[in-house]
Amino acid sequence: MEDASRALGFSRAKGYDLVRRGEFPCRVLRIGRATRVVTASLLRVLESGWHRPARAV
């Protein structure tokens, strides 16, 4: 989660917040208390040229 969040330009806390809201941009698995990002999904998102939405002011 931490590496995926960083790769997408989010802080660790923001990444977990997006997961809780169901808005993380790639597939995430919850295994017990652990949260794991599916590597293939992360690579697809990064290769697609996805960019983090601008912050609302």
Side-chain angles (χ1 to χ4, degrees), residues 1-30 35-37 42 50 52 55:
M1 256 316 290
E2 294 176 35
D3 292 335
S5 293
R6 194 174 318 119
L8 294 167
F10 301 124
S11 69
R12 176 180 173 264
K14 180 66 173 181
Y16 280 107
D17 183 50
L18 291 172
V19 168
R20 274 191 294 280
R21 293 187 304 185
E23 298 176 5
F24 200 78
C26 43
R27 188 162 178 229
V28 176
L29 301 175
R30 296 291 312 230
T35 304
R36 300 287 185 245
V37 175
L42 175 61
W50 178 88
R52 182 173 63 154
R55 286 185 170 181

Side-chain angles (χ1 to χ4, degrees), residues 4 6 11 19 23 25 30 38-39 45 47-48 54 57:
R6 194 174 318 119
S11 69
V19 168
E23 298 176 5
R30 296 291 312 230
V38 177
T39 303
V45 169
E47 289 171 354
S48 74
V57 182

